[in-house]
Amino acid sequence: MADPWQGAMDHAVAVARKAGEIIREALQNDMKIMCKSSSVDLVTKTDQQVEQFIFDSVREKFPTHSFIGEESVAAGQPCTLTDNPTWIIDPVDGTTNFVHGFPFVAVSIGFAVKKELEFGVVYSSLEDKMYTGRRGKGAYCNGLPLQVSDQTDISQCIINSEMGSNRDPEVVDKIFSTMRKILCIPVHGMRGVGTAAVNMCLVASGAVEAYFEIGIHCWDMAAGAVIVTEAGGVVMDVDGGPFDLMSRRVLAANNKTIATRIVKEIDAFPADRDDAPQQEKQ
């Protein structure tokens, strides 16, 4: 039986590659930078341009599909996942990296049907690495199969995480508390490349054993979740429960042994759900 979503995935790869070209060209030009929720939550003209390009391309080819995009949600569109085929887009994952020329900037495209993720495409545009994952069909980088690390000893692991954009001292204290506890397990090290999508792809590729973060969004992790799972890893909530795409929380790991050990050290803090009514969001 033919795969009903292969055409959509092929299109996602093509538009992600073109979006990466737009990002690389924009790095050579002046950038208009604006702030969203705070002075450290940035958006550029390129974010908006790339999202509009992807949106237009998808709408032309798949006019009945739904769309959740970082910049459209920031502009007031609802962030609602329905049963309809839905594209979940982060046009420039790693905007702060982009602004500073730090070389990890990704286009992230996840695709869900009946609220289940079907495929993910992450194009690390400055590295020219195309990560793909299709439910039940494996994960790849530039066409080569991906496989998570087989490490089960937490003391031999590298763990990725990020500081996020919330500068509330209580939240920052919890972030540092968690990192301190994980470092003192001890682990080999902690890293973070400034983009959730690439952090998750590094888990899928076996370069690091786990990545966790609270406060990110569905468009940051939709594509990466498929890629990690299809590379043999696990994706769950930071409390060890099932992964919830709208929860703004994720723990991706090479296996449950490592994930369960990390869960014990995480000091969680509240984050408004992506699908919460606008009036309930802070």
Side-chain angles (χ1 to χ4, degrees):
M1 182 177 176
D3 181 345
W5 307 119
Q6 187 60 49
M9 183 170 178
D10 292 344
H11 189 70
V13 170
V15 296
R17 192 172 298 282
K18 176 59 180 175
E21 293 176 11
I22 296 171
I23 290 169
R24 288 193 296 268
E25 290 170 5
L27 277 171
Q28 310 303 317
N29 304 316
D30 292 334
M31 291 171 290
K32 181 180 179 183
I33 303 168
M34 298 167 281
C35 298
K36 287 193 284 192
S37 62
S38 72
S39 63
V40 293
D41 188 11
L42 306 179
V43 60
T44 69
K45 181 173 62 177
T46 303
D47 294 75
Q48 297 165 332
Q49 178 186 358
V50 171
E51 182 166 311
Q52 191 63 51
F53 162 72
I54 297 172
F55 178 87
D56 290 345
S57 180
V58 170
R59 179 55 56 86
E60 180 179 358
K61 193 168 182 65
F62 304 99
T64 64
H65 289 188
S66 300
F67 186 92
I68 296 174
E70 178 176 13
E71 303 315 322
S72 57
V73 171
Q77 294 295 315
C79 186
T80 305
L81 184 62
T82 68
D83 286 347
N84 200 48
T86 303
W87 297 69
I88 307 167
I89 311 297
D90 191 340
V92 182
D93 188 30
T95 299
T96 301
N97 288 356
F98 173 75
V99 168
H100 289 271
F102 192 73
F104 298 96
V105 180
V107 181
S108 178
I109 302 175
F111 182 79
V113 181
K114 296 183 178 177
K115 301 184 179 70
E116 183 170 15
L117 291 166
E118 288 287 342
F119 67 73
V121 172
V122 173
Y123 183 44
S124 186
S125 53
L126 305 186
E127 300 180 280
D128 192 24
K129 289 185 176 180
M130 181 68 74
Y131 296 93
T132 60
R134 174 75 174 89
R135 186 166 66 91
K137 297 192 174 184
Y140 299 84
C141 179
N142 290 347
L144 299 176
L146 292 175
Q147 179 65 44
V148 295
S149 163
D150 61 4
Q151 185 60 253
T152 57
D153 181 350
I154 190 71
S155 69
Q156 303 299 306
C157 293
I158 290 178
I159 312 300
N160 278 23
S161 191
E162 299 288 344
M163 302 299 180
S165 59
N166 190 328
R167 295 297 182 264
D168 182 323
E170 292 184 4
V171 169
V172 173
D173 285 347
K174 285 183 177 290
I175 291 170
F176 277 109
S177 170
T178 296
M179 290 184 174
R180 180 182 184 279
K181 289 193 292 181
I182 291 173
L183 278 171
C184 292
I185 287 174
V187 297
H188 271 177
M190 293 195 70
R191 304 284 187 269
V193 296
T195 144
V198 174
N199 278 321
M200 295 179 83
C201 289
L202 289 171
V203 175
S205 69
V208 304
E209 277 67 36
Y211 158 72
F212 68 92
E213 191 170 354
I214 299 171
I216 55 175
H217 296 277
C218 59
W219 46 80
D220 294 305
M221 51 189 179
V226 183
I227 294 167
V228 169
T229 303
E230 288 302 314
V234 297
V235 180
M236 61 178 66
D237 188 84
V238 296
D239 67 3
F243 173 60
D244 179 347
L245 183 62
M246 293 292 164
S247 69
R248 300 184 62 199
R249 298 150 50 114
V250 68
L251 168 57
N254 61 328
N255 56 56
K256 287 185 178 179
T257 300
I258 297 301
T260 302
R261 183 65 185 85
I262 292 170
V263 164
K264 295 178 180 178
E265 310 300 341
I266 294 177
D267 285 335
F269 52 88
D272 293 325
R273 292 180 59 85
D274 276 331
D275 56 2
Q278 288 293 329
Q279 62 269 26
E280 292 182 11
K281 297 183 179 181
Q282 300 298 317

